[in-house]
Amino acid sequence: AANLTLENVEVIKGTVGYSSTTHSVYVYGNASAENGATLNVIYTDAYAGDAANKLTDNMQNKVFVGGGYTSINGGEMSVKSGWVVSDVTGINAAWASGNKDLILANDILVDQILELSYILELSYNVTRVFDLNGKTMTFEGLGEIMLKYGANLTVTGNGTMETIVEDDTTPGSLSGYLFTLSETSVLTIENGTYICGMTAVQLEGSASANIKGGTFSALQTYSDRYWILNKVDANKDTATFNVTGGTFINFDPSNGETESPAQNFVSDGYGVVASTDGAETRYTVISGENSDETFVAYNADALRSLLEAGARNIQLGCDVTLDQTVNMKKGASTLDLNGKTVTFDYAGIIDLYDTAQLTVTGNGTMQMLMSTNSDLGFLFRLSGTSVLPIENRTYICCMTAIQLA
């Protein structure tokens, strides 16, 4: 049996039990009084801060024990600190209060914009955590979560956010989005399921989104493509996606065709593994380092990232122009040109250091633009004990295809 004692939990009065309003501590588990488990709440006699944020007529029950239990079963006990919210009114009240963490108590419908901005963070920028707690938020009409003025939100708890689309969504409308970010706002998604009308996350200004996990899909396309992750056109070079995990349905985050030209939203060292089930293609983001999976690169940035990570199997998905230096310092990679062409331009070169090994195959072409790069126009440059087996096809350089140091 477990015994849990909570002291000074921002409560003066109240009862231990369920309330549809907000709480400061949320305890859930498969509890049983028969096994001797106990829950003790020690209330403080004084508190600091605004009384309206601590105890009001509709916020009296500040401790919530989930599942209808009043005690904790040893071994299946979890304690979460934050405001437990059960509706849109509770979310707005919690975000306006200065409290950091929110926990969703039940499934809810969102039919309005929920705005989280730096202004509501009083005088400092802190990260708020929204724990979906396995529950579902359903968005309809204008429902979305809007982050502004440097807001910082982390979404976790393996819940679901889904959109009900009532009409054809077009870029620029408010319906169909789950999150929109502007200025320097930051969104982190750790897990969960996200079903958007067309765009799950849209970035504007210098906003950034960190996708660490979750499953993402859209109900509709625009111009025959999916727009699950998107940047406002004017900010495609200032807004940032950092994708290090997650699965995307019919949308390849390493080849974000929502931008022109397409951008790689996947972070350095990570790649996308594709699997097909009927008309559905699932793109899963995993670490490329020492992975035996086959990664397909559709642009120069994805190619560079996978080679530098030491991914073992890389296939070229289309012709690419390599205008940046690739620094391979580890791994034994095989690059399958797949009959495609890599054109080296400006700083484009593949440098192999230390013990890195790169095998090039696939009957493709590597060529150098004569008017760019250095006077020597290297394709490859090797140092240390690095190895470069070349199996076939065509290599066109300005002067030197392979330089050994």
Side-chain angles (χ1 to χ4, degrees), residues 36 53 80 292:
N53 292 337
K80 300 179 180 181
D292 289 325

Short mmCIF file of all heavy atoms in Angstrom, two decimals, residues 36 53 80 292:
data_model
loop_
_atom_site.label_atom_id
_atom_site.label_comp_id
_atom_site.label_asym_id
_atom_site.label_seq_id
_atom_site.Cartn_x
_atom_site.Cartn_y
_atom_site.Cartn_z
N GLY A 36 -5.06 -0.50 2.39
CA GLY A 36 -4.42 0.36 3.37
C GLY A 36 -3.79 1.60 2.80
O GLY A 36 -3.13 2.35 3.52
N ASN A 53 -6.58 33.85 -7.51
CA ASN A 53 -5.92 32.73 -8.16
C ASN A 53 -5.79 31.53 -7.24
O ASN A 53 -5.31 30.48 -7.66
CB ASN A 53 -4.51 33.15 -8.63
CG ASN A 53 -4.56 34.16 -9.74
OD1 ASN A 53 -5.54 34.24 -10.45
ND2 ASN A 53 -3.50 34.93 -9.88
N LYS A 80 0.20 14.56 -10.53
CA LYS A 80 0.49 15.63 -11.47
C LYS A 80 0.13 16.96 -10.83
O LYS A 80 -0.94 17.10 -10.25
CB LYS A 80 -0.31 15.44 -12.76
CG LYS A 80 -0.03 14.13 -13.49
CD LYS A 80 -0.89 14.02 -14.74
CE LYS A 80 -0.60 12.72 -15.46
NZ LYS A 80 -1.40 12.59 -16.71
N ASP A 292 19.75 0.93 -39.50
CA ASP A 292 19.74 0.06 -40.67
C ASP A 292 18.57 0.33 -41.60
O ASP A 292 18.44 -0.31 -42.65
CB ASP A 292 19.70 -1.41 -40.23
CG ASP A 292 21.01 -1.85 -39.59
OD1 ASP A 292 22.07 -1.38 -40.05
OD2 ASP A 292 20.97 -2.65 -38.64
#
